């Protein structure tokens, strides 16, 4: 399943307008251009040089924060050939790609053998002069065309510098990011479209596309494009749509003639609406530089034209680049300020600001751009997937993007209101698949326990959660969960991981119920302990150099456990069909107390944690996605995000610091292969930010674990306009173990604190660091508010 070829991408991002204005009224313009520290290529490559497979799958292109926008998923592979520059993308997602639609491709010839209906006859290698910066990307094609691009909210600007000779721009409405070999029902397909040519080279139309990893219903995107220099000639074209497609029509008499692509007869052909497009051409008296603006809208071509004109008033590319950078600096980068002077560690600056960049590419703000229903509530898309971002990404939004975050939650609730359920993998206006639990519940609970109210109707928020907890679709295995108290191995896939996730989901209900429906609280607290129902106390580890007792195991609907050939260290292929989706044994954030007890007490818990960091402890070969990780602990895998910090729960914080810092240094780099696997919509990047600021949030609880910062002075703007200052003394390459902590000036003897301590009104956290690992904490261990003894 390697991705062989690729498209170049072009992400445009939506910025929240009213949010921006409020922001501008209150703050001075950011003083420092933090965008210079961003390397947009971190995560663009995987373990095979030149290929994106197994890498971050990030977007490379022009983008503004929370804009509209996907290895191939990001639409970019280092050695890929360019087939088009397109307007919509995801960033960091795995599985088959989504988007890559509304495209342009500059060409130096359209004569045979070029066939504009066959991308393999015109695609181009890049000659290697790529420049990737915040909201700017440029590359040079083998045929000598230089492409530069930048993005605004719902529009983009493209600048082509042609060599002497012919100049053409191809607009192929049927273009989308192709499947990299996955096949099945999650590949994208083109259903139809229209293109109209107006005076002066303006073109409008729409394209309709379906599929993608979330198996989305068709979505229609309207577009409006123009050129600075009107083309000398323009013509539309039409061709039979021959792409393989889901549920395609075939004639009973043997179907249509098989088409020829790339010189080969295609085995599969479907009959759908024709492919359409246009070719624009300029004669040799026109300038070599051709510039184009393109707007897009889910609502209408008129809106797409207005976006183009309003958002990109000038053909001067730099103006759009600068406007986007200003937004990035003001809205995103300046929220976490560290010393950027000459003595600062440049690598760490790049890692910090690049991570902030990647965690703000998705989800997409679609204010006013919801084609499905009319509502006064905000509209967001590309929660892709909440399974990835619920663990620590949203907790960071809560602090540094409170307005956008409240808006996202209102949109999640509005999706429930009109679409029936809150999403897990929503993209292209379609809720799509649910990876495990109904994890939007965790997002709501995390916001609720930290006091977020604002314009959120929590009566309805809680109602949306109850529907997830009680009605099929919210969670796929409620037919097991409700009567049995676990997800069974004979009637359901992913029985272990879903049992674990549903437990936390029900804990989330408990958290919100305490305020919104106290009568429900004990029921959901009870259900949050259901993970205990699949715990086998005397099950002993297999093929480990040390022996451990007590694991979760597959349980049949009859109540019996099925331990045949079961090895808790191996999740089989860790797929959607397996007993466990990925590594799960340590993921009980709401009741660490019981988990520790079940693992044999603090000493055995520590021994088990130590073991999962041992080289070669993993009995599974993670392949290209594994980033060379051979420990059971896998930081490229979201369920393990909190695992290195679990030593805090036995008051051995120094080990959490040592392990997590090692992971941060070992697997996150200022390099194209700089994240361990897919960035997952910025989830991995946000993990690193928490690591660098010296704390970790426990999702669904108003609790943060104290760790050890990578910078000596950090000013974070939180809760709209409050300042949290995090400072250290004695920070050094070998000097990072905590010796003591002061919170708001007071000596602090616990290795954790609560949201209200410093995250509401701001405050200070001062770390005294040193080279010696010591047990500095004497207070109570972090709480287990979901503690239930069965
Ligand atoms: C090239 O076009 C064909 C036919 O539409 C399509 O199946 C294929 O996915 C395209 N390849 C790329 C790299 O876009
Ligand atoms: C943090 O804020 C304080 C108080 O305004 C200031 O003195 C300090 O220089 C700031 N540190 C950084 C890294 O911006
Ligand atoms: C910067 O910090 C990293 C750890 O993040 C370290 O590996 C590197 O050596 C430091 N660079 C300098 C110049 O100190
Ligand atoms: C919240 O939603 C409930 C149920 O739909 C409704 O009765 C109530 O009026 C709403 N509250 C507000 C403040 O809009
Ligand atoms: C908790 O669940 C158990 C079964 O697992 C049941 O017997 C008990 O009544 C439940 N308690 C509450 C308060 O719902
Ligand atoms: C028990 O697990 C084994 C190994 O996965 C499997 O082959 C077998 O079908 C399972 N038994 C039942 C009753 O599901
Ligand atoms: C334990 O290791 C041996 C040798 O590698 C292997 O044959 C066996 O299948 C493993 N057992 C389990 C349960 O994984
Ligand atoms: C881990 O396994 C590899 C491959 O089997 C081996 O080369 C390496 O020496 C092992 N490392 C340790 C620390 O055991």
């Amino acid at each position: 399943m390697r991705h062989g070829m690729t498209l170049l991408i072009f992400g445009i991002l939506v910025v929240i307008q009213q949010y921006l204005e409020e922001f501008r009224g209150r703050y001075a313009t950011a003083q420092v251009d933090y965008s210079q520290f961003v390397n947009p290529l971190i995560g663009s490559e995987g373990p095979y040089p030149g290929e994106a497979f197994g890498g971050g799958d990030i977007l490379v292109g022009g983008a503004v924060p929370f804009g509209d926008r996907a290895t191939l998923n990001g639409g970019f592979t280092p050695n890929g050939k360019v087939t088009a520059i397109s307007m919509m993308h995801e960033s960091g997602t795995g599985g088959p790609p989504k988007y890559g639609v509304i495209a342009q491709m500059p060409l130096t010839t359209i004569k045979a053998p070029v066939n504009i209906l066959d991308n393999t006859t015109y695609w181009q290698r890049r000659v290697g002069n790529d420049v990737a910066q915040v909201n700017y990307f440029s590359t040079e094609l083998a045929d000598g065309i230089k492409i530069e691009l930048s993005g605004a909210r719902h529009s983009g600007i493209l600048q082509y510098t042609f060599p002497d000779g012919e100049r053409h721009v191809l607009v192929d409405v049927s273009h989308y990011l192709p499947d990299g070999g996955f096949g099945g029902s999650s590949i994208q397909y083109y259903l139809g479209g229209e293109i109209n040519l107006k005076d002066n080279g303006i073109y409008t139309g729409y394209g309709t596309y379906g599929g993608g990893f979330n198996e989305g219903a068709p979505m229609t995107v309207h577009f409006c494009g123009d050129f600075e220099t009107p083309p000398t000639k323009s013509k539309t074209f039409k061709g039979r749509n021959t792409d393989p497609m889901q549920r395609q029509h075939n004639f009973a008499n043997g179907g249509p003639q098989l088409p020829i692509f790339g010189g080969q007869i295609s085995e599969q052909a479907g009959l759908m609406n024709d492919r359409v497009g246009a070719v624009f051409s300029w004669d040799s008296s026109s300038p070599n530089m051709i510039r184009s603006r393109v707007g897009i809208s889910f609502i209408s071509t008129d809106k797409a034209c207005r976006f183009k004109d309003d958002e990109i008033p000038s053909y001067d590319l730099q103006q759009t680049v600068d406007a986007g950078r200003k937004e990035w600096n003001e809205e995103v980068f300046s929220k976490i300020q560290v010393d950027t002077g000459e003595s600062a560690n440049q690598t760490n600056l790049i890692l910090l600001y690049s991570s902030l960049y990647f965690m703000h590419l998705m989800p997409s703000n679609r204010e006013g751009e919801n084609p499905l229903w009319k509502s006064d509530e905000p509209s967001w898309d590309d929660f892709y997937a909440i399974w990835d971002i619920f663990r620590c990404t949203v907790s960071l939004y809560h602090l540094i993007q409170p307005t956008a975050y409240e808006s996202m939650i209102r949109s999640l609730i509005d999706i429930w209101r009109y679409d029936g359920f809150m999403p897990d993998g929503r993209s292209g206006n379609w809720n799509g698949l649910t990876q495990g639990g109904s994890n939007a519940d965790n997002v709501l609970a995390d916001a609720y326990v930290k006091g977020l109210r604002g314009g959120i109707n929590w009566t309805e928020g809680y109602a949306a959660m109850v529907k997830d907890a009680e009605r099929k679709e919210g969670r796929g295995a409620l037919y097991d969960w409700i009567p049995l108290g676990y997800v069974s191995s004979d009637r359901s896939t992913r029985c272990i991981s879903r049992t674990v996730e549903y437990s936390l989901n029900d804990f989330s209900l408990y958290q919100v119920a305490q305020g919104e429906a106290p009568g429900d609280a004990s029921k959901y607290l009870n259900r949050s302990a259901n993970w205990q129902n699949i715990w086998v106390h005397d099950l002993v580890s297999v093929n480990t150099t040390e022996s451990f007792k007590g694991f979760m195991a597959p349980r049949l609907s009859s109540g019996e456990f099925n331990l045949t050939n079961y090895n808790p260290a191996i999740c089989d292929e860790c797929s959607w069909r397996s007993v466990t989706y990925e590594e799960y044994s340590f993921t009980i954030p709401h009741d660490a107390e019981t988990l520790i007890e079940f693992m044999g007490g603090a000493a055995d818990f520590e021994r088990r944690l130590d073991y999962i960091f041992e080289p070669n402890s993993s009995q599974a070969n993670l392949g290209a996605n594994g980033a060379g990780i051979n420990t059971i602990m896998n930081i490229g895998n979201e369920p393990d995000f909190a695992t290195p910090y679990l030593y805090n729960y036995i008051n051995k914080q120094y080990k959490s610091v040592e392990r997590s810092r090692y992971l941060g240094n070992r697997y996150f780099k200022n390099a194209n292969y700089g994240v361990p696997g897919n960035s997952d919509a910025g989830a991995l990047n946000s993990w690193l930010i928490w690591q660098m600021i010296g704390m970790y949030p426990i999702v669904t609880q108003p609790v943060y674990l104290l760790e050890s910062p990578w910078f000596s002075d950090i000013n974070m703007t939180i809760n709209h306009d409050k300042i949290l200052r995090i400072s250290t003394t004695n920070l050094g390459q070998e000097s990072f173990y905590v010796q003591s902590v002061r919170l708001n000036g007071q000596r602090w003897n616990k290795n954790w604190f609560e949201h209200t301590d410093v995250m509401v009104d701001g405050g200070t956290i001062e770390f005294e660091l040193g080279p010696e690992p010591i047990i500095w904490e004497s207070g109570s261990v972090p709480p287990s508010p979901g503690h239930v003894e069965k």
Side-chain angles (χ1 to χ4, degrees):
M1 285 198 305
R2 302 244 223 115
H3 304 297
M5 55 185 128
T6 192
L7 310 191
L8 190 63
I9 48 88
F10 177 28
I12 60 165
L13 266 167
V14 176
V15 170
I16 322 138
Q17 200 62 38
Q18 61 274 42
Y19 170 51
L20 205 60
E21 272 149 22
E22 173 199 354
F23 185 90
R24 283 189 181 131
R26 236 191 274 161
Y27 298 86
T29 312
Q31 301 292 309
V32 181
D33 177 17
Y34 297 99
S35 72
Q36 64 183 299
F37 302 115
V38 173
N39 175 0
L41 291 172
I42 294 177
S44 62
E45 197 170 16
Y48 306 105
E51 293 184 30
F53 183 63
D57 280 359
I58 49 87
L59 163 98
V60 183
V64 297
F66 297 129
D68 266 337
R69 27 302 52 272
T71 50
L72 222 43
N73 295 41
F76 176 93
T77 74
N79 283 353
K81 289 177 181 154
V82 177
T83 64
I85 302 128
S86 58
M87 297 290 289
M88 291 182 69
H89 300 90
E90 310 279 1
S91 185
T93 54
K98 181 106 183 166
Y99 297 151
V101 300
I102 313 305
Q104 280 192 6
M105 179 72 184
L107 300 172
T108 56
T109 175
I110 49 172
K111 290 193 208 62
V114 170
N115 168 7
I116 50 176
L117 289 169
D118 180 355
N119 51 44
T120 63
T121 65
Y122 60 75
W123 63 9
Q124 291 289 315
R125 287 209 168 277
R126 309 195 315 277
V127 296
N129 301 328
D130 294 359
V131 178
Q133 297 167 349
V134 171
N135 205 26
Y136 174 83
F137 181 77
S138 82
T139 191
E140 219 177 299
L141 307 182
D143 60 13
I145 299 172
K146 180 174 183 186
I147 302 174
E148 292 166 273
L149 58 84
S150 181
R153 283 184 77 166
H154 317 81
S155 52
I157 179 164
L158 299 142
Q159 172 169 311
Y160 309 117
T161 309
F162 286 87
D164 289 339
E166 294 178 39
R167 284 150 228 169
H168 311 275
V169 170
L170 166 67
V171 173
D172 179 3
V173 178
S174 65
H175 183 279
Y176 55 83
L177 284 173
D179 145 54
F182 288 89
S185 51
S186 51
I187 63 172
Q188 294 200 93
Y189 50 93
Y190 159 82
L191 284 116
E194 206 176 289
I195 187 162
N196 301 297
L197 305 186
K198 316 253 167 162
D199 290 344
N200 294 324
I202 295 175
Y203 65 93
T204 59
Y206 65 85
T208 301
Y209 317 87
F213 194 29
N214 71 336
E215 301 181 7
M219 58 164 195
T220 295
V221 185
H222 305 268
F223 55 84
C224 177
D226 67 12
F227 299 94
E228 180 186 31
T229 309
T232 340
K233 251 172 69 182
S234 44
K235 60 172 190 202
T236 55
F237 65 85
K238 201 164 132 158
R240 180 184 276 166
N241 183 15
T242 51
D243 272 6
M245 224 175 295
Q246 294 300 311
R247 297 171 282 277
Q248 56 184 309
H249 293 281
N250 278 309
F251 289 137
N253 66 3
Q257 257 181 296
L258 293 173
I260 298 176
F261 278 107
Q264 292 197 311
I265 294 178
S266 167
E267 293 299 324
Q268 284 172 292
L271 267 189
M272 294 298 283
N273 291 305
D274 284 341
R275 292 174 58 189
V276 298
V279 181
F280 301 91
S281 306
W282 289 262
D283 64 24
S284 51
S285 67
S286 319
N288 286 47
M289 187 186 282
I290 300 294
R291 301 197 273 204
S292 175
R293 304 177 301 171
V294 182
I296 57 170
S297 168
F298 278 108
I299 307 297
S300 69
T301 50
D302 283 352
K303 258 191 111 177
C305 292
R306 276 204 307 276
F307 286 146
K308 163 181 72 67
D309 295 336
D310 294 351
E311 296 174 9
I312 309 187
S314 146
Y315 287 99
D316 179 354
L317 184 93
Q318 195 61 38
Q319 283 190 16
T320 301
V321 174
D322 290 345
R325 280 194 192 148
K326 187 160 181 278
E327 278 167 18
W328 277 104
N329 277 323
E330 290 180 355
E331 282 189 54
V332 176
F333 305 139
S334 61
K335 296 297 177 76
I336 303 188
Q337 302 194 358
V338 298
D339 178 17
T340 56
E342 271 167 27
S343 59
N345 181 318
Q346 295 297 308
T347 307
N348 290 347
L349 287 178
I350 292 169
L351 288 172
L352 175 65
Y353 291 107
S354 302
S355 301
L356 275 166
Y357 173 77
F358 288 114
M359 78 167 268
H360 284 84
L361 290 172
M362 295 211 294
S364 312
N365 188 323
R366 296 264 172 78
E367 195 81 64
E369 280 287 295
N370 179 357
L372 299 178
W373 61 82
K374 282 204 177 356
S375 160
D376 292 332
E377 289 298 285
S379 177
W380 288 73
D381 198 1
D382 302 317
F383 293 103
Y384 203 46
I386 288 180
W387 186 88
D388 300 288
I389 64 168
F390 85 79
R391 294 160 219 270
C392 70
T393 314
V394 299
S395 307
L396 201 50
Y397 288 148
H398 191 124
L399 299 181
I400 65 175
Q401 302 295 351
T403 304
Y405 187 51
E406 182 188 324
S407 171
M408 286 178 210
I409 290 177
R410 288 172 62 175
S411 174
L412 290 173
I413 297 170
D414 212 43
I415 291 167
W416 157 80
R417 213 175 267 130
Y418 290 91
D419 250 3
F421 289 92
M422 292 192 287
D424 182 44
R426 189 176 181 91
S427 186
N429 303 313
W430 182 255
N431 267 2
L433 305 179
T434 295
Q435 187 154 337
S438 49
N439 290 322
D441 300 347
N442 306 348
V443 177
L444 265 62
D446 199 62
Y448 190 85
V449 297
K450 291 170 182 167
L452 187 63
R453 298 295 180 268
I456 301 168
N457 185 330
W458 278 107
T459 309
E460 298 197 306
Y462 180 66
M465 296 172 71
V466 169
K467 194 172 183 196
D468 280 344
E470 306 294 346
R471 295 265 305 273
K472 179 182 176 308
E473 275 186 56
R475 299 181 206 160
L478 288 175
Y479 56 82
D480 273 347
W481 184 248
I482 292 175
L484 301 175
Y486 57 92
V487 177
S488 77
S489 63
D490 50 333
R491 300 199 300 210
S492 300
T493 57
R494 292 165 278 145
C495 58
I496 294 179
S497 51
R498 287 206 275 183
T499 296
V500 170
E501 291 195 22
Y502 290 11
S503 298
L504 180 60
N505 295 157
D506 278 336
F507 177 73
S508 291
L509 273 110
Y510 164 67
Q511 291 288 62
V512 179
Q514 288 177 80
E516 297 298 318
D520 290 357
S522 65
K523 166 181 164 184
Y524 289 116
L525 178 62
N526 199 1
R527 277 172 50 169
S528 79
N530 279 352
W531 64 275
Q532 297 180 28
N533 295 339
I534 60 165
W535 193 273
V536 181
H537 290 276
D538 53 9
L539 183 64
V540 177
S541 59
V542 194
N543 285 354
T544 47
T545 54
E546 281 185 59
S547 176
F548 303 100
K549 214 166 103 180
F551 290 94
M552 292 189 219
R555 189 167 179 184
L556 300 164
S557 52
S558 63
E560 302 293 308
F561 282 92
N562 179 359
L563 302 178
T564 312
N565 294 330
Y566 179 60
N567 178 348
I570 296 179
C571 56
D572 194 9
E573 50 186 0
C574 302
S575 75
W576 290 59
R577 289 179 299 277
S578 310
V579 291
T580 181
Y581 187 65
E582 302 189 44
E583 168 69 49
Y584 269 86
S585 47
F586 286 100
T587 17
I588 312 292
H590 54 294
D591 191 4
E593 185 180 340
T594 301
L595 182 70
I596 292 167
E597 182 197 314
F598 279 14
M599 287 191 176
D604 273 351
F605 183 73
E606 180 180 356
R607 198 169 59 90
R608 204 187 268 206
L609 272 178
D610 289 348
Y611 184 77
I612 66 169
F613 287 91
E614 290 285 323
N616 288 356
S617 57
S618 172
Q619 299 175 40
N621 181 356
L622 299 170
N625 265 319
I629 294 171
N630 62 9
T631 54
I632 293 177
M633 170 68 218
N634 178 2
I635 198 58
N637 184 24
E638 280 75 11
D640 264 350
F641 273 8
T643 310
Y645 298 114
L646 290 176
Y647 294 100
N648 279 52
Y649 284 88
I650 51 172
N651 273 355
K652 287 200 172 171
Q653 190 261 6
Y654 74 93
K655 279 197 171 177
S656 296
V657 167
E658 191 174 286
R659 306 287 196 231
S660 63
R661 215 175 177 88
Y662 167 80
L663 295 169
N665 280 313
R666 169 82 179 73
Y667 295 109
F668 293 81
K669 295 176 209 121
N670 174 26
N672 290 0
Y673 186 24
V675 284
N678 295 152
S679 114
D680 291 329
L684 265 66
N685 311 91
S686 54
W687 184 88
L688 185 65
I689 297 172
W690 286 110
Q691 166 63 209
M692 295 183 102
I693 65 173
M695 58 182 86
Y696 193 77
I698 299 301
V699 66
T700 70
Q701 297 173 41
V703 166
Y704 304 80
L705 306 182
L706 285 163
E707 302 303 332
S708 165
W710 292 26
F711 300 94
S712 54
D713 194 16
I714 305 168
N715 285 320
M716 279 176 73
T717 303
I718 58 165
N719 198 12
H720 301 279
D721 55 3
K722 304 296 192 300
I723 303 292
L724 168 64
R725 189 170 185 189
I726 302 165
S727 59
T728 65
T729 50
N730 280 335
L731 170 64
Q733 205 70 285
E734 309 296 326
S735 176
F736 54 78
Y737 291 105
V738 175
Q739 309 295 302
S740 69
V741 174
R742 284 179 183 276
L743 219 94
N744 292 331
Q746 301 297 309
R747 190 69 181 253
W748 198 256
N749 67 359
K750 294 181 301 193
N751 62 31
W752 58 281
F753 64 91
E754 289 186 68
H755 187 73
T756 48
D757 289 326
V758 292
M759 296 306 195
V760 175
D761 297 322
T764 60
I765 310 178
E766 298 161 83
F767 291 86
E768 186 200 343
L769 305 179
E772 294 298 320
I774 63 164
I775 295 177
W776 58 273
E777 68 270 52
S778 55
S780 59
V781 296
S784 288
H787 184 62
V788 170
E789 283 173 41
K790 284 219 171 214

